[in-house]
Amino acid sequence: MRQLNRLNQYQRLWQPSAGAPQQVTITELASRCFCSERHVRTLLRQAQEAGWLSWKAQSGRGKRGTLTFHVTPESLRNEMMEEALKSGHQHNALELAQLAPEDLRALLHPYLGGLWQNDTPTLRIPYYRSLDPLVPGFLPGRAEQHLAGQVFSGLTRFNGTSSEPTGDLAHHWEVSTDGLRWDFYIRSTLHWHNGDKVETVQLQQSLIALLALPALRKLFQSVSRIDVTHPQCLTFILHQPDYWLAHRLATYCSRLAHPEQAMTGCGPFRLTVYDSDLVRLESHEQYHLSHPLLKAIEFWITPTLFDYGLGTSCRHPVQIAIGEPDELASLRLVSNSTSLGFCYLTLKQSPRLSEMQARRLINIIHLTELLHTLPLNEGLITPTQEMLPGWCIPQWPELRDVQLPKTLTLIYHLPVELHTMASQLKQYLAQQGCDLTVIFHDAKTWDGCLRLADADIMMGDRLIGEAPEYTLEQWLRCDALWPHLLSAPQFAHLQATLDAVQTLADEQARHIGLKTIFTGLMESAVLTPLFNYQYQISAPPGVNGIQLNTRGWFDFTQAWLPAPKS
């Protein structure tokens, strides 16, 4: 970046005298700037023309000239950043900011939050980590899952807080009386983000590729084939009824990309930048549903902003905006909720761990102060007594006379709160004469974990999507945890039971069937929920239309900024 190089060179000229006038030779300046004497003369001429400094040379080789500075490197950086932002060169602004990480927070404050930039309503979101690629299928991160739902569309979708799917790319659908044929009628006004018209055969190609993925194949195992039965109709032929099909197609993992352009979708926003330090979305002008009110949304990947001591960690509560330094006092909580998703603990019963011993371990967690005394951020978690509202954990006597095994092995993955939970549990069990070996799987899912077979206890995080009951059905079908947790006959029985539940056309009957399955898992001390998270979004004044969704984010299509005052 040319501007960054110029600023670096100016910094080298400035630094020895901290901006005071200097008596110096061209040779010394060239050495300081790691360039030739000819090039340093060019630098001095350009900087003088820009009004940054004055250079008065003395005639004669080796003579000392006078170097006088008119601006500081910090003011130049601010000026360059502002110009880069006004011209839409966000990468240049972020690269300039990296010159002084310790000043990054103060430097970026004026540019984050909601702004009208060149008559364009833009929301800039500081984020604490780089975002993973938006590959087809399951994604481990909440932010990536949310982005997939904003960039790509599916045949169906969940609308707002409703757990019932509605039409998206498909205007509506029809189901045969035997549940084996599903006709999805495709809208005729669809366009990809590149401007091309969406062809039904392209959706068929993308769906076939999606269903070929191993994890998605488990989810859509009832689908025999997908046919284009009309230029505007996709037909699913099933070998057994699956009344979750519209739900399966509505989740983020089933959103469809262009069959030949993996990052091109037809959702409300199109990706224009997806890099390690910047993600930029712009509204899709040919979107087939309600158009977004914001023109652009940017994720600024700025880990330096998130200093734990300043209370701005973005690990779980989602901080979506930071205002001007003088507005920080008025930064307001605009939406918060208790997530239906939960951290959980599972126990693998074996000759090492009986059902009664597993029950006592669960009692230790829920009947002692263990969950209530975790040294975590206040307001971050809430211990739970339910899997979902109304799906209560069983109540057993304290079972103090049940002797725990001498040794047990616990394996857990992110989120970070489970570090604390594992440590507390190890200390408590040691007091009961049980030595707990703790293994950390540094990931957000169990995919690729080679130690599950060695574990007696597992802890992880289960995100609940828009349809809670369906999301738990998907968890039992697709998560790598269950084949390791259950014996082969138990796992086969579980899958057969799920197959039977999905054939029930009545939604409430399916919900009751799933509740029975999870009640059985909790009663047999295989599974227990631990705690829920408290999702939060804060924003400066002027950012409107923000309401938390089930993933702890907000629908980008509903956010808006008032027009600037003239």
Side-chain angles (χ1 to χ4, degrees):
M1 175 185 163
R2 186 177 178 184
Q3 279 187 314
L4 181 60
N5 290 334
R6 291 181 66 191
L7 189 55
N8 278 332
Q9 295 290 46
Y10 187 76
Q11 180 81 34
R12 293 187 180 104
L13 296 174
W14 166 283
Q15 194 168 9
S17 66
Q22 299 176 18
Q23 301 295 317
V24 64
T25 67
I26 285 290
T27 301
E28 290 170 342
L29 292 177
S31 174
R32 192 184 300 170
C33 294
F34 306 103
C35 62
S36 66
E37 293 183 12
R38 179 179 178 181
H39 185 62
V40 84
R41 287 191 176 93
T42 301
L43 289 176
L44 290 171
R45 176 177 53 80
Q46 291 175 341
Q48 187 161 277
E49 291 174 352
W52 300 355
L53 53 75
S54 297
W55 167 248
K56 292 184 179 180
Q58 295 289 334
S59 60
R61 185 169 182 80
K63 294 290 186 179
R64 293 183 179 274
T66 302
L67 186 61
T68 305
F69 298 95
H70 304 315
V71 295
T72 66
E74 289 75 16
S75 65
L76 273 183
R77 179 171 60 241
N78 290 350
E79 181 181 326
M80 288 180 174
M81 280 186 62
E82 188 170 352
E83 286 301 315
L85 288 166
K86 286 180 179 179
S87 59
H89 297 146
Q90 292 83 3
H91 275 299
N92 293 355
L94 287 173
E95 192 168 2
L96 284 162
Q98 294 305 313
L99 287 173
E102 68 278 3
D103 297 327
L104 186 58
R105 174 181 298 277
L107 201 60
L108 291 186
H109 272 149
Y111 308 111
L112 297 174
L115 297 170
W116 280 76
Q117 193 74 51
N118 293 338
D119 296 326
T120 298
T122 301
L123 185 64
R124 294 195 176 107
I125 303 171
Y127 206 61
Y128 72 110
R129 63 171 176 85
S130 295
L131 296 172
D132 296 329
L134 297 184
V135 297
F138 293 115
L139 298 167
R142 283 192 297 116
E144 289 84 354
Q145 293 176 16
H146 178 65
L147 277 178
Q150 301 290 301
V151 173
F152 304 105
S153 292
L155 292 186
T156 59
R157 63 193 290 266
F158 294 109
N159 190 13
T161 58
S162 174
S163 61
E164 276 294 292
T166 187
D168 192 353
L169 298 177
H171 183 270
H172 67 284
W173 62 93
E174 295 176 349
V175 185
S176 63
T177 54
D178 60 4
L180 298 178
R181 178 186 173 114
W182 293 59
D183 293 310
F184 291 87
Y185 296 95
I186 308 302
R187 298 176 192 269
S188 59
T189 56
L190 303 175
H191 289 82
W192 297 107
H193 290 157
N194 62 11
D196 293 346
K197 189 177 185 300
V198 174
E199 303 292 341
T200 303
V201 69
Q202 292 176 314
L203 302 181
Q204 179 199 34
Q205 292 169 359
S206 295
L207 279 164
I208 290 173
L210 199 64
L211 269 58
L213 300 174
L216 272 294
R217 189 62 228 165
K218 295 177 186 176
L219 200 61
F220 291 93
Q221 63 176 1
S222 299
V223 176
S224 294
R225 67 179 192 272
I226 305 172
D227 299 330
V228 178
T229 51
H230 180 274
Q232 301 302 133
C233 183
L234 271 178
T235 298
F236 285 67
I237 303 299
L238 281 55
H239 63 78
Q240 64 179 358
D242 181 6
Y243 287 96
W244 293 117
L245 182 59
H247 293 73
R248 302 192 198 284
L249 293 169
T251 53
Y252 80 89
C253 61
S254 301
R255 300 298 174 97
L256 301 177
H258 191 291
E260 298 174 359
Q261 301 173 30
M263 299 298 277
T264 299
C266 46
F269 289 91
R270 59 188 178 91
L271 283 171
T272 58
V273 180
Y274 203 87
D275 291 339
S276 59
D277 59 355
L278 176 70
V279 172
R280 179 177 170 88
L281 293 80
E282 295 181 2
S283 61
H284 177 31
E285 294 180 355
Q286 295 174 293
Y287 183 51
H288 52 280
L289 299 176
S290 297
H291 283 207
L293 301 170
L294 291 172
K295 176 63 178 176
I297 294 174
E298 295 173 356
F299 284 71
W300 285 27
I301 315 302
T302 49
T304 311
L305 283 177
F306 297 95
D307 178 23
Y308 296 112
L310 296 175
T312 54
S313 169
C314 192
R315 291 175 300 165
H316 293 291
V318 183
Q319 182 181 6
I320 65 107
I322 299 176
E324 298 269 7
D326 58 358
E327 288 181 345
L328 288 181
S330 60
L331 194 71
R332 73 205 194 286
L333 180 68
V334 294
S335 187
N336 70 304
S337 66
T338 301
S339 71
L340 288 180
F342 50 82
C343 282
Y344 62 84
L345 180 142
T346 61
L347 301 106
K348 181 167 62 178
Q349 292 163 25
S350 68
R352 291 199 305 270
L353 182 66
S354 69
E355 180 176 327
M356 293 304 292
Q357 290 171 321
R359 287 186 174 189
R360 186 183 174 199
L361 282 168
I362 291 174
N363 274 355
I364 286 173
I365 291 167
H366 288 293
L367 299 184
T368 67
E369 292 299 312
L370 188 63
L371 282 176
H372 296 271
T373 57
L374 292 178
L376 298 173
N377 295 340
E378 184 179 356
L380 179 64
I381 65 170
T382 300
T384 184
Q385 297 288 313
E386 298 177 313
M387 181 72 64
L388 289 179
W391 296 21
C392 299
I393 65 174
Q395 302 294 318
W396 301 308
E398 291 193 18
L399 304 174
R400 291 184 179 274
D401 57 335
V402 175
Q403 187 73 29
L404 293 176
K406 295 296 183 184
T407 61
L408 288 171
T409 298
L410 164 68
I411 187 168
Y412 69 99
H413 64 61
L414 295 169
V416 294
E417 282 70 30
L418 293 182
H419 289 310
T420 306
M421 181 70 192
S423 176
Q424 296 285 87
L425 189 59
K426 180 179 177 66
Q427 293 178 28
Y428 193 96
L429 293 186
Q431 299 172 8
Q432 311 302 313
C434 176
D435 181 23
L436 184 67
T437 299
V438 174
I439 302 169
F440 174 53
H441 175 55
D442 190 7
K444 298 175 183 176
T445 71
W446 295 117
D447 294 339
C449 181
L450 303 178
R451 304 293 300 274
L452 278 176
D454 303 328
D456 304 294
I457 307 170
M458 301 87 153
M459 290 195 305
D461 183 31
R462 181 68 253 163
L463 179 66
I464 296 296
E466 294 85 350
E469 293 84 1
Y470 163 71
T471 303
L472 291 180
E473 195 269 358
Q474 177 180 293
W475 183 32
L476 294 179
R477 280 204 181 274
C478 301
D479 200 293
L481 169 72
W482 301 102
H484 291 278
L485 182 62
L486 304 174
S487 67
Q490 288 173 328
F491 184 69
H493 176 72
L494 173 65
Q495 297 302 309
T497 307
L498 293 175
D499 288 346
V501 170
Q502 77 175 31
T503 65
L504 301 173
D506 180 71
E507 183 181 45
Q508 288 305 313
R510 295 198 304 275
H511 290 180
I512 291 170
L514 278 175
K515 181 179 179 181
T516 300
I517 293 172
F518 277 94
T519 298
L521 291 171
M522 291 190 288
E523 286 283 1
S524 57
V526 170
L527 168 68
T528 192
L530 299 174
F531 48 78
N532 306 105
Y533 286 110
Q534 295 296 318
Y535 289 150
Q536 299 178 15
I537 293 182
S538 298
V543 181
N544 302 293
I546 292 176
Q547 185 64 43
L548 269 166
N549 63 19
T550 55
R551 300 185 189 279
W553 281 89
F554 64 98
D555 188 346
F556 291 164
T557 65
Q558 300 300 311
W560 60 278
L561 304 174
K565 297 178 181 178
S566 57

